[in-house]
Amino acid sequence: LDTATGIDVQDKHLAGMINEIGVGVIIIANKWDLLQETKTNTQKKQIKEHDTLLKVIHYSLPGITFAPIVFTSALNGHNVHKLLALALEVHKNRQQKISKNEMEALLPKLILYHRPVKSKGTIHPVIKRIKQIGASPPTFKIIIGYQQTLHHSYLKYLENRLREFYDFTGSPIKIIVEQAIQPELS
């Protein structure tokens, strides 16, 4: 991104494509030096400008809020040295696999903290299982009860908790919901 000109339609379109395809991403906010020239160079103002830009980027590119943001200056080399190491970290995060046992241990914690929310119908959904079925990007399958649905906001909650427990910085997370094939017999 060009911090001097701001986020444009093309940046937003590209972010949407990145999210849809599911590739790892790092947001590089270039021309940080130009913003610093227009401000008086105090530490407090620099931190405030940095925080404001982070909020603007996350607001403008909501589909890729998982992406780390690095403020750089190609002109003077500010933070450019961090990019290769960060790209390797994002690649490693995309390859990460979580064991079946870890996922089984995590599920009750997730449900205890926030009960699953239904999307349609009268039956409150029950999550039977969660497992990782792929990497690059990390993909998880959730099995819910027969003829039950999960609200999309609950999927976002699950994604956020997975990010909290495991480092998926720079990598999208895909969550697939599948209904049990038949109702359980009592």
Side-chain angles (χ1 to χ4, degrees), residues 8-66:
D8 60 19
V9 173
Q10 184 175 351
D11 296 328
K12 292 178 182 183
H13 181 70
L14 183 59
M17 288 173 52
I18 287 169
N19 189 34
E20 187 177 312
I21 294 169
V23 296
V25 64
I26 300 168
I27 298 173
I28 301 169
N30 194 31
K31 298 188 181 177
W32 180 245
D33 55 315
L34 293 180
L35 290 174
Q36 295 310 303
E37 287 175 9
T38 61
K39 307 278 181 208
T40 55
N41 225 359
T42 66
Q43 187 72 7
K44 276 187 177 181
K45 284 192 177 191
Q46 190 174 9
I47 291 170
K48 186 175 181 179
E49 184 71 19
H50 178 271
D51 292 346
T52 301
L53 271 173
L54 281 175
K55 289 176 184 173
V56 167
I57 291 169
H58 282 143
Y59 177 79
S60 300
L61 307 173
I64 58 172
T65 56
F66 57 84

Side-chain angles (χ1 to χ4, degrees), residues 133-146:
I133 59 170
S136 201
T139 306
F140 298 88
K141 183 191 283 188
I142 296 173
I143 309 293
I144 59 174
Y146 180 70

Side-chain angles (χ1 to χ4, degrees), residues 66 89-90 92-110 130-132 134 138-140 157-173 175:
F66 57 84
E89 180 185 342
V90 168
K92 182 186 80 161
N93 293 344
R94 288 179 55 72
Q95 307 304 317
Q96 186 175 186
K97 293 182 181 167
I98 303 166
S99 74
K100 181 181 175 182
N101 292 341
E102 282 184 83
M103 292 305 298
E104 286 176 3
L106 180 62
L107 182 58
K109 294 175 190 172
L110 297 174
I130 182 171
K131 63 182 179 177
Q132 186 173 6
T139 306
F140 298 88
Y157 159 76
L158 290 174
E159 178 185 341
N160 290 337
R161 295 300 71 79
L162 286 167
R163 290 186 186 286
E164 186 179 302
F165 284 98
Y166 304 99
D167 186 9
F168 289 114
T169 302
S171 179
I173 294 175
I175 299 176

